[in-house]
């Protein structure tokens, strides 16, 4: 069996070593394809692969067509918006993610971005503190829960909205559950986004919604760029010089944001939320174990596509 680790944004070496140990102990061959850049190299590498471990790498119908022996793809991480799940099912390939394994890393980065924003991008001027501010967690999944845990240490007043998570689950963590996204944005000084990119959420963070935020509002995005209505947010930030936007996913209109909103807009050059040794080890080794469990025992826990 051949396992290909296809990561355009590589894991930390220690994580690759762990993945190798797991797969070789199972008697499988490991092939590493990092920083491949062009899709052609990915297509070539997967031609005789039985399993693939990926991160945000795009696995579309063309990749499934090229990977004739493929049985399983594991996205080492949470979001599976980069994988064509229908094509996977059509090709009889199982797709899994590794939920929760990189969530703490993403949550910590959300606070890194928050502190940077309220301290005026570390420009030497007097900023503000997070303590006592109202934090809105938009979607209470694995990352949202970690954000709530860290926010308690900062002494923030914590709110959350999640269309699918029961109110009781949110409130058991000492977080105030609100009934709608509108209420969350109207209430909170800082909103941290943790919604997945789906057909329903695409462009849903728009002018009307963010426009509800109180004066001095800060939007932090460690989720996906697709959920933002970029034109609407740009228009809003032009109208509201008090608003700030910090993102770990560079917008398509990065240059426009950067030139129009100096001092109140920042994007990391490359998505860094899950880019820690710990998250790479946790998600990478979980992916390797899930592949071994699937190939040896048919275990389909964490499968995300239909059969
Ligand atoms: C995820 O969905 O798990 C995160 O966005 C991390 O993505 P990455 O593996 O590309 O850093």
């Amino acid at each position: 069996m051949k396992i290909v680790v296809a990561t355009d944004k590589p894991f930390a070496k220690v994580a690759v070593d762990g993945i190798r140990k797991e797969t070789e102990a199972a008697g499988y061959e490991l092939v590493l394809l990092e920083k491949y850049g062009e899709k052609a190299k990915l297509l070539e590498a997967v031609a005789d692969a039985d399993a693939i471990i990926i991160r945000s790498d795009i696995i579309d119908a063309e990749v499934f067509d090229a990977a004739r022996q493929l049985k399983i793809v594991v996205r080492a991480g949470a979001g599976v918006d980069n994988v064509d799940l229908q094509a996977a099912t059509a090709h009889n390939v199982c797709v899994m993610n590794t939920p929760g394994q990189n969530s703490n890393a993403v949550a910590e980065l959300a606070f890194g971005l928050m502190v940077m924003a309220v301290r005026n991008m570390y420009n030497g001027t007097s900023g503000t503190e997070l303590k006592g501010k109202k934090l809105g967690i938009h979607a209470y999944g694995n990352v949202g829960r970690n954000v709530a845990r860290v926010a308690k240490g900062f002494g923030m007043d914590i709110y959350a909205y999640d269309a699918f998570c029961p109110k009781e689950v949110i409130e058991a963590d000492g977080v105030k559950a609100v009934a709608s996204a509108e209420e969350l944005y109207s209430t909170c000084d800082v909103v941290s986004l943790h919604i997945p990119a789906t057909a329903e959420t695409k462009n849903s963070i728009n002018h009307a919604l963010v426009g509800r935020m109180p004066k001095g509002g800060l939007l932090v995005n460690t989720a996906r760029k697709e959920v933002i209505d970029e034109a609407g947010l740009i228009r809003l930030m032009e109208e509201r010089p008090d608003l700030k936007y910090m993102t770990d996913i560079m917008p398509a209109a990065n240059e426009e944001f950067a030139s129009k909103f100096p001092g109140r807009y920042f994007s990391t050059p490359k998505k860094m939320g899950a880019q820690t040794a710990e998250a790479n080890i946790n998600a990478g080794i979980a992916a390797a174990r899930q592949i071994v469990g699937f190939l040896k025992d048919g275990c389909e826990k964490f499968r995300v596509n239909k059969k």
Side-chain angles (χ1 to χ4, degrees):
M1 292 278 180
K2 189 175 195 174
I3 319 297
V4 175
V5 174
T7 47
D8 195 48
K9 181 174 60 184
F11 288 123
K13 186 184 174 298
V14 60
V16 176
D17 292 345
I19 295 169
R20 190 179 296 282
K21 211 171 140 202
E22 293 291 331
T23 49
E24 290 182 353
Y28 302 154
E29 181 194 352
L30 188 83
V31 173
L32 193 57
L33 177 73
E34 295 181 324
K35 294 188 188 171
Y36 52 87
E38 303 149 29
K39 190 176 184 184
K41 290 189 185 155
L42 174 65
L43 296 176
E44 197 187 318
V46 300
D48 58 352
D50 296 282
I52 315 177
I53 296 176
I54 54 158
R55 298 186 62 179
S56 290
D57 306 82
I58 309 287
I59 305 296
D60 58 14
E62 196 185 352
V63 179
F64 287 113
D65 285 341
R68 293 169 176 274
Q69 294 183 32
L70 190 62
K71 295 156 189 72
I72 178 168
V73 174
V74 181
R75 193 279 190 246
V80 288
D81 47 302
N82 48 321
V83 181
D84 185 335
L85 299 181
Q86 278 186 343
T89 301
H91 286 78
N92 201 21
V93 174
C94 174
V95 182
M96 296 183 186
N97 63 355
T98 65
Q101 300 290 351
N102 60 16
S103 317
N104 180 65
V106 179
E108 287 190 12
L109 189 79
F111 283 90
L113 293 172
M114 276 180 226
V115 173
M116 185 175 172
V118 298
R119 295 305 183 96
N120 301 330
M121 313 294 185
Y122 309 126
N123 71 358
T125 64
S126 191
T128 57
E129 299 179 18
L130 295 174
K131 186 177 177 188
K133 301 295 184 304
K134 291 186 167 66
L135 170 68
I137 302 175
H138 192 168
Y140 205 68
N142 288 309
V143 182
R145 269 178 260 265
N146 275 285
V147 167
R149 174 179 53 78
V150 179
K152 285 178 198 163
F154 274 94
M156 299 185 85
D157 187 12
I158 315 165
Y159 296 75
Y161 171 67
D162 190 302
F164 306 101
C165 181
K167 191 174 185 259
E168 298 69 40
V169 172
I170 295 174
E171 298 201 327
D173 287 349
V175 174
K176 298 176 189 83
V178 298
S180 66
E182 286 72 19
E183 190 182 341
L184 191 78
Y185 286 72
S186 301
T187 307
C188 296
D189 305 296
V190 182
V191 171
S192 191
L193 275 172
H194 304 293
I195 54 176
T198 63
E200 291 74 36
T201 62
K202 209 176 164 201
N203 292 327
S204 65
I205 310 305
N206 56 26
H207 183 280
L209 189 62
V210 185
R212 289 174 169 267
M213 291 188 78
K215 193 166 170 12
L218 165 62
L219 179 65
V220 178
N221 185 4
T222 54
R224 288 291 180 272
K225 72 170 192 282
E226 291 78 8
V227 302
I228 303 285
D229 170 4
E230 293 186 9
L233 183 58
I234 288 172
R235 188 159 53 86
L236 180 68
M237 289 177 73
E238 282 169 343
E239 292 161 12
R240 296 260 315 258
D242 58 300
L243 295 178
K244 289 182 181 168
Y245 180 46
M246 305 292 281
T247 182
D248 184 36
I249 312 93
M250 189 176 279
N254 173 55
E255 281 174 23
E256 193 177 351
F257 274 103
S259 66
K260 285 189 167 156
F261 311 120
R264 54 197 186 99
Y265 165 77
F266 172 80
S267 172
T268 53
K270 199 168 234 187
K271 189 166 60 152
M272 296 300 296
Q275 201 57 325
T276 65
E278 293 89 338
N280 290 174
I281 292 167
N282 292 344
I285 292 177
R289 288 187 180 153
Q290 286 171 220
I291 286 172
V292 174
F294 176 81
L295 293 177
K296 289 212 187 285
D297 305 319
C299 176
E300 298 204 354
K301 193 172 174 193
F302 303 123
R303 181 177 185 133
V304 294
N305 66 321
K306 293 202 181 93
K307 278 200 171 183

